[in-house]
Amino acid sequence: LLDEAMEPDFQVVVQDEVISAHKFVLVARSRYFASCILTSGMVEAQAGRLLIPDASAMTADAFRAFLRFLYAGDELLNTLAPHTAMYLVDASSFYGLTNHRLKDFCERCVKNSFNEAHVLQLFDASSRLSAETVRKMALDFIIANFHTVCRQPALESLDKPLLIEIIKGLAEKLPPSNAPASAGGGARIFEQPRNAS
């Protein structure tokens, strides 16, 4: 139905691309679209078109994959690429799907794709896209594997706030210090021992 574009009656515009769909599928599978399409006062209902802002964490390819999930269900999950899954992790809650299968699968797909060479780029990209779930998974991976991630050239190009977040995460993993803090700021370490005379 989706591939053959049989009499679509609704359009979604993502990154200046017009993607055609069917209202009955959108309404049946998504509370978000049900609200947009069935509420007669909504601009989307009147125009038969929804514009997804460029500032959102959604690409045209990711939205097409999301539509495939709405139309075909779990069939999509076997062919979903990690770079597309990253954009769909939060889609099930945002679009009001009735279950969390898409979210769970996308999280697993993204997490299984992490490796020391690419996790820093995913951390940076998910931060810029406000994809919080992916961002948190990437940060946890970086901290757990920092002994190898720290050798990656991409570390040097991360923005300062991201580097600070990594450092704070590493600091939380350190065991607490047993030495009590002294009022002299640790100056006693350098004092000469006194002779007992």
Side-chain angles (χ1 to χ4, degrees):
L1 190 62
L2 181 63
D3 290 333
E4 296 170 11
M6 294 176 62
E7 300 184 33
D9 55 1
F10 196 77
Q11 294 178 330
V12 180
V13 182
V14 188
Q15 295 181 318
D16 297 326
E17 285 190 43
V18 178
I19 301 170
S20 298
H22 300 87
K23 289 180 184 178
F24 75 93
V25 173
L26 298 175
V27 168
R29 297 288 308 253
S30 163
R31 288 188 293 271
Y32 176 88
F33 281 107
S35 174
C36 288
I37 293 170
L38 298 178
T39 306
S40 60
M42 298 285 285
V43 173
E44 294 82 5
Q46 295 172 357
R49 173 183 270 225
L50 171 71
L51 175 65
I52 295 181
D54 289 337
S56 74
M58 183 62 76
T59 65
D61 286 340
F63 192 80
R64 274 192 283 278
F66 174 71
L67 277 182
R68 286 198 180 290
F69 180 77
L70 293 185
Y71 278 76
D74 291 353
E75 183 181 306
L76 160 82
L77 303 181
N78 299 324
T79 60
L80 193 60
H83 65 275
T84 302
M86 180 175 82
Y87 293 97
L88 297 179
V89 168
D90 295 321
S92 63
S93 59
F94 181 84
Y95 289 107
L97 302 187
T98 55
N99 61 59
H100 297 287
R101 285 195 324 271
L102 179 64
K103 176 182 172 59
D104 294 342
F105 181 83
C106 288
E107 284 180 357
R108 279 195 315 275
C109 181
V110 170
K111 193 171 187 175
N112 291 341
S113 75
F114 285 163
N115 61 51
E116 289 82 357
H118 297 103
V119 71
L120 292 166
Q121 291 91 336
L122 283 170
F123 181 53
D124 184 35
S126 59
S127 297
R128 282 186 279 110
L129 294 168
S130 299
E132 284 304 313
T133 304
V134 175
R135 186 178 170 288
K136 171 85 170 80
M137 289 189 303
L139 180 60
D140 290 346
F141 184 92
I142 291 166
I143 292 166
N145 299 281
F146 194 72
H147 60 285
T148 52
V149 174
C150 70
R151 295 183 181 92
Q152 301 304 316
L155 186 65
E156 295 174 16
S157 62
L158 281 182
D159 290 338
K160 184 178 177 180
L162 299 180
L163 290 170
I164 290 172
E165 201 168 344
I166 292 170
I167 292 169
K168 285 181 178 179
L170 289 168
E172 289 175 8
K173 296 285 184 186
L174 293 175
S177 174
N178 292 333
S182 66
R188 292 184 181 190
I189 296 172
F190 299 105
E191 289 180 3
Q192 294 294 323
R194 296 188 179 145
N195 291 333
S197 39

